[in-house]
C-alpha cells in the first residue's frame, strides 16, 4: 500500500496529519506484536529487528536539494500506554525522525502525526510492504473503492478534513 500527500507551492506546512484506515483495511496484529524499542529507533533504526520495518518513506521539500528517505518502523507504545506507533526515520540533506500514534475514532483505526516540523513539503510518500502493517479484510478489486478519512492541520491554523477515495492497482 502506498500513500501520497502532495502540497502545492504556497500551501502551509502540515502541523498535524491523521489518516484513518477504511473498513476494508486493518492493521496486521502480527506486525504490531513485537515492536522496536523507542531507544533503538532513536539511536539507529537500522538496528531495529527486520520484522519491525514495515515500509519506506520519502519527503521532498522545495527548500532541500534532495529528497529525504528512510524506513518506517513499528515502535513500542508511548509511556502512557496504548498501541505501538509508527516511526519514520528520514535521512538526506536533513535527518528527521517522526513518531506517530495509533488512534481509534468512530471511523476506524489510523495513525496521527502531531507537531510536525514547520518545513514545506511538496510530496510525502509512504509505502507499506506487502504482508507488513496493513492487511485487506475484503477483495479490494470489488467496488466501491475504499475511502480514507483524513484530517490535516496546517501551521497557519487551517484544518482540512476529507474522505479520499483510493486507486486500487492490479485489478483486471
Amino acid at each position: 500500500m502506498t500513500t501520497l500527500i502532495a502540497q502545492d507551492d504556497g500551501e502551509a506546512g502540515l502541523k498535524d496529519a491523521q489518516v484513518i484506515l477504511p473498513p476494508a483495511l486493518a492493521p496486521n496484529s502480527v506486525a504490531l506484536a513485537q515492536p522496536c524499542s523507542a531507544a533503538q529507533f532513536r539511536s539507529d533504526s537500522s538496528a531495529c529487528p527486520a520484522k519491525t520495518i514495515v515500509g519506506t518513506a520519502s519527503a521532498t521539500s522545495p527548500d532541500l536539494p534532495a529528497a529525504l528517505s528512510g524506513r518506517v518502523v513499528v515502535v513500542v507504545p508511548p509511556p502512557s500506554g496504548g498501541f505501538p506507533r509508527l516511526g519514520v526515520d528520514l535521512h538526506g540533506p536533513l535527518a528527521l525522525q517522526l513518531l506517530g500514534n495509533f488512534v481509534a475514532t468512530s471511523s476506524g483505526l489510523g495513525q496521527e502525526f502531531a507537531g510536525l516540523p514547520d518545513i514545506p513539503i511538496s510530496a510525502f510518500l509512504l509505502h507499506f510492504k506487502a504482508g507488513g502493517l496493513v492487511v485487506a479484510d475484503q477483495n479490494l478489486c470489488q467496488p466501491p473503492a475504499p475511502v480514507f478519512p483524513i484530517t490535516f492541520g496546517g501551521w497557519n491554523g487551517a484544518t482540512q478534513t476529507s474522505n479520499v477515495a483510493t486507486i486500487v492497482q492490479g485489478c483486471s
Side-chain angles (χ1 to χ4, degrees):
M1 182 177 90
T2 301
T3 62
L4 171 66
I5 299 171
Q7 292 188 264
D8 293 327
D9 288 342
E11 288 186 325
L14 284 178
K15 182 178 181 183
D16 306 299
Q18 182 184 79
V19 177
I20 304 299
L21 291 173
L25 300 174
N28 181 352
S29 59
V30 173
L32 296 174
Q34 295 178 335
C36 182
S37 74
Q40 213 172 13
F41 172 76
R42 288 277 187 217
S43 67
D44 182 4
S45 70
S46 66
C48 289
K51 63 186 167 208
T52 67
I53 300 169
V54 294
T56 58
S58 66
T60 305
S61 172
D63 291 350
L64 297 175
L68 307 178
S69 62
R71 297 171 192 79
V72 178
V73 180
V74 176
V75 180
V76 296
S80 59
F83 292 108
R85 49 199 166 160
L86 284 185
V88 179
D89 189 16
L90 299 171
H91 296 274
L94 172 71
L96 184 62
Q97 286 188 323
L98 307 171
L99 272 172
N101 287 299
F102 277 94
V103 293
T105 71
S106 59
S107 300
L109 296 174
Q111 187 70 197
E112 177 178 57
F113 288 90
L116 296 169
D118 190 6
I119 301 169
I121 300 293
S122 52
F124 180 79
L125 186 69
L126 181 62
H127 175 75
F128 293 110
K129 62 185 179 181
L133 185 63
V134 180
V135 295
D137 281 344
Q138 68 187 52
N139 183 346
L140 300 179
C141 292
Q142 299 295 318
V147 174
F148 286 83
I150 59 108
T151 303
F152 295 148
W155 278 97
N156 63 353
T159 300
Q160 179 179 349
T161 300
S162 185
N163 291 314
V164 179
T166 60
I167 300 170
V168 179
Q169 297 178 344
C171 300
S172 56

